[in-house]
Amino acid sequence: MQQLKQTEHIFHLIYDLLNRQELVETLTIRQENKDKQALVELLTVKQYQGEIQQLLNRLHPYDIANLLEQLPPVQRSFIWQLLQSEHMGAVLLELSDSLRQTLLAELQPTDLIRAASHLDTDEIADLMQELPDEIGDSVLSSLPQQQRENVQSTLLFPEESVGAWMEYDFAVVLENQTLDQVLRELRQKGKLPDESGFIMVINSVGLFQGLLLVSDLLIKRGDLRVADCMLKQAHIFHTTDSADEAARDFERYELLVAPVVNAHQKLVGVLRVSSLMDLLEEQSQRQFLAQAGLSKEENLFDPMMKSAKNRWPWIALNLVIVLIASRVIDQFQTTISSMVALAALLPITANIGGNTGNQVVALVIRGLALKQLDANNLRRLYIKEFSVAAVNGLIWGSLTGLLTLFLYQNLGLAFVMMLAMSGTMVLAALIGVSIPLILKKLKQDPVLGSSIITTGMTDTLGFLIFLSLASLLLPN
């Protein structure tokens, strides 16, 4: 909490410096003495640049990226130019895709090479995918041979695989070494392994054998062999495994680090919880935006037309659905004109149906993500959601019917309202189960558009059910 407050304080200081700089520039432009104007402006800009640079150096790359996301283009470009090259690479990796592309365009190849030199192998691989081929080749050729080979290896793996997320910087020892020998090697390197507290163990041909606890180096006899002390049972991942599944395993089994092996069981990397947290954060942001029909590419201060075009597909889909709903209402003009109360009650069933459907959509999407749904339990899910919706429809439909009777003193209208609420909630639940499953079967992301389609369908069906019942049961 203290760190968050400190970051917010630095943000406010930077905003204030940016605003003061713009004010001084505006005032100096009005000066008659042009030489004096240029001198004052130059000194002022230099002063503010120095102060802002000092503040930026106190921020974590994630916070700098967050600051850049919040600024309009002119101020964002000014801040970006003040960053030192050793910070640029880490900041680029924290930015949204669209903003990263914008800022990459402002960098020279030499700046990118310097920025990449301060990144780990997996981070360089992430950055390489965003670069034009000729610039990417320049960055790649500037790396040491071993790191270059590791980056090329990472780029071969699909983004959704464990191989694309594994890291190459890890400690490894041979099973036939003694603990004293391992300690001597660590002293020579001058650093301990990563914070997980484990060292990877392999045999003479590189096959993974187990995990050695760093604490064993301190509390066990130095003449013991690593093979006699290591943990032979470890959670192992293959390079071709799903990164999503790996992230769930890390959460389920509270893992910090896990070995990654190739098809021949040779140890080729490690998977760390920090990398998978980045994956989960990326997926969370994508799903959050997708539920509203937005692309992860959009940034708050993207150009107007780019943001507008990004939203067109789902606006068009909504327009089609709304037009269908309007045609449904149009078919019941006579019914509505004969009883004005219908117009006031019409949105209730549609809105309740939309809410019911979206609740079910959220549960089904979560079930699909956690692999809890398959052909064996699908029928049980439909029955369960049908039953829940029927109970809720009966309870809340009856309550709404009583409220309608109290407001309009019309028993027939109250009965129609009760039936419409019950029917709409049941249909909404069935739609909420079906839409994500249909999108999944069509090889589309169930998150993208499920809520929009469900809301549109339940609105239309809610209008149809309510007005159809009113036409049949109420006197004209």
Side-chain angles (χ1 to χ4, degrees):
M1 181 62 71
Q2 184 64 32
Q3 181 64 37
L4 178 60
K5 290 182 178 179
Q6 183 179 358
T7 301
E8 290 177 348
H9 177 64
I10 293 175
F11 277 19
H12 288 306
L13 291 176
I14 292 176
Y15 294 149
D16 182 57
L17 287 170
L18 290 171
N19 291 333
R20 285 161 55 192
Q21 175 183 314
E22 289 183 353
L23 177 60
V24 171
E25 288 177 349
T26 302
L27 291 175
T28 52
I29 288 174
R30 299 175 184 173
Q31 296 289 332
E32 294 182 0
N33 188 331
K34 297 300 181 181
D35 293 336
K36 180 181 178 182
Q37 168 193 331
L39 178 60
V40 171
E41 184 173 346
L42 177 62
L43 293 175
T44 302
V45 169
K46 291 294 184 183
Q47 176 186 347
Y48 289 146
Q49 282 182 351
E51 293 183 28
I52 292 174
Q53 279 183 324
Q54 289 180 1
L55 293 172
L56 289 175
N57 289 333
R58 295 165 56 185
L59 292 174
H60 186 274
Y62 173 84
D63 295 320
I64 297 175
N66 190 23
L67 174 66
L68 291 171
E69 298 273 5
Q70 296 177 29
L71 292 173
V74 174
Q75 292 183 342
R76 176 191 297 155
S77 180
F78 177 76
I79 292 292
W80 178 244
Q81 292 171 9
L82 294 182
L83 278 182
Q84 298 175 350
S85 59
E86 59 263 32
H87 297 151
M88 285 183 171
V91 172
L92 283 169
L93 293 173
E94 299 289 352
L95 294 169
S96 64
D97 289 354
S98 60
L99 183 52
R100 185 186 304 121
Q101 288 292 344
T102 300
L103 296 180
L104 279 171
E106 299 183 14
L107 287 177
Q108 298 296 322
T110 52
D111 295 326
L112 280 170
I113 291 173
R114 284 197 297 270
S117 67
H118 298 279
L119 297 176
D120 294 331
T121 299
D122 57 313
E123 295 174 330
I124 295 174
D126 288 340
L127 190 60
M128 288 282 293
Q129 299 178 49
E130 308 290 337
L131 302 177
D133 291 341
E134 61 276 8
I135 298 179
D137 291 342
S138 299
V139 173
L140 199 59
S141 61
S142 70
L143 301 174
Q145 180 179 351
Q146 184 59 56
Q147 190 176 29
R148 180 167 63 250
E149 292 175 356
N150 290 340
V151 171
Q152 291 172 326
S153 175
T154 300
L155 291 172
L156 293 175
F157 293 105
E159 186 179 358
E160 64 275 6
S161 69
V162 165
W165 292 89
M166 68 181 180
E167 300 178 20
Y168 297 90
D169 181 20
F170 59 94
V172 61
V173 296
L174 294 171
E175 62 177 347
N176 58 3
Q177 287 183 289
T178 65
L179 298 187
D180 276 342
Q181 289 174 328
V182 174
L183 269 175
R184 280 197 296 272
E185 288 185 4
L186 290 177
R187 291 191 187 102
Q188 289 174 357
K189 291 180 180 178
K191 66 175 183 177
L192 288 172
D194 65 90
E195 66 282 358
S196 64
F198 293 106
I199 301 176
M200 303 294 149
V201 182
I202 58 174
N203 63 12
S204 57
V205 294
L207 299 181
F208 177 76
Q209 299 299 305
L211 298 171
L212 177 66
L213 284 168
V214 174
S215 58
D216 286 346
L217 297 173
L218 303 177
I219 61 178
K220 292 187 176 180
R221 294 198 329 266
D223 59 343
L224 290 175
R225 293 170 61 247
V226 169
D228 299 326
C229 304
M230 68 183 184
L231 303 174
K232 297 182 180 180
Q233 298 298 323
H235 203 110
I236 301 173
F237 294 97
H238 289 78
T239 54
T240 55
D241 287 344
S242 165
D244 290 345
E245 293 290 342
R248 279 190 282 274
D249 282 352
F250 263 69
E251 181 180 9
R252 188 179 298 120
Y253 302 114
E254 299 182 348
L255 303 176
L256 294 177
V257 65
V260 180
V261 299
N262 61 17
H264 306 291
Q265 302 304 309
K266 283 193 174 183
L267 181 68
V268 292
V270 296
L271 199 58
R272 292 194 174 99
V273 67
S274 56
S275 295
L276 293 178
M277 285 178 64
D278 293 338
L279 171 64
L280 293 174
E281 174 66 19
E282 180 180 312
Q283 291 178 338
S284 175
Q285 292 183 10
R286 186 188 302 124
Q287 290 177 0
F288 180 77
L289 292 175
Q291 287 175 349
L294 293 174
S295 165
K296 69 170 185 174
E297 305 296 332
E298 185 171 342
N299 176 261
L300 278 177
F301 295 103
D302 274 343
M304 180 191 66
M305 284 306 299
K306 181 179 179 180
S307 295
K309 290 178 181 179
N310 189 41
R311 305 177 194 188
W312 284 352
W314 294 108
I315 292 177
L317 177 61
N318 267 320
L319 180 60
V320 171
I321 294 173
V322 170
L323 286 174
I324 295 173
S326 70
R327 299 312 301 163
V328 169
I329 297 173
D330 189 61
Q331 300 305 309
F332 295 92
Q333 283 188 15
T334 305
T335 304
I336 296 174
S337 61
S338 65
M339 185 175 291
V340 179
L342 293 176
L345 297 172
L346 192 59
I348 296 177
T349 53
N351 288 339
I352 293 298
N355 181 266
T356 300
N358 282 323
Q359 288 177 340
V360 178
V361 163
L363 292 173
V364 173
I365 289 176
R366 181 175 181 272
L368 289 172
L370 297 176
K371 308 294 183 184
Q372 295 174 340
L373 287 179
D374 54 38
N376 298 321
N377 57 22
L378 197 55
R379 181 171 176 270
R380 192 164 77 243
L381 176 64
Y382 271 105
I383 293 174
K384 181 249 184 179
E385 290 302 331
F386 176 88
S387 303
V388 171
V391 170
N392 282 336
L394 181 62
I395 293 172
W396 293 101
S398 300
L399 181 61
T400 307
L402 289 174
L403 183 60
T404 303
L405 180 62
F406 172 76
L407 292 174
Y408 297 100
Q409 286 80 50
N410 187 320
L411 185 60
L413 182 60
F415 184 62
V416 166
M417 195 65 189
M418 183 191 73
L419 291 179
M421 281 276 289
S422 301
T424 301
M425 291 181 75
V426 168
L427 277 176
L430 298 179
I431 292 171
V433 174
S434 301
I435 294 298
L437 295 175
I438 292 172
L439 290 175
K440 182 77 172 179
K441 193 166 186 179
L442 294 174
K443 301 188 183 304
Q444 300 296 317
D445 186 356
V447 177
L448 187 61
S450 286
S451 295
I452 294 175
I453 296 172
T454 299
T455 299
M457 291 185 66
T458 52
D459 283 355
T460 303
L461 290 174
F463 294 149
L464 181 62
I465 292 171
F466 181 61
L467 294 174
S468 297
L469 287 172
S471 297
L472 293 172
L473 303 178
L474 299 178
N476 293 325

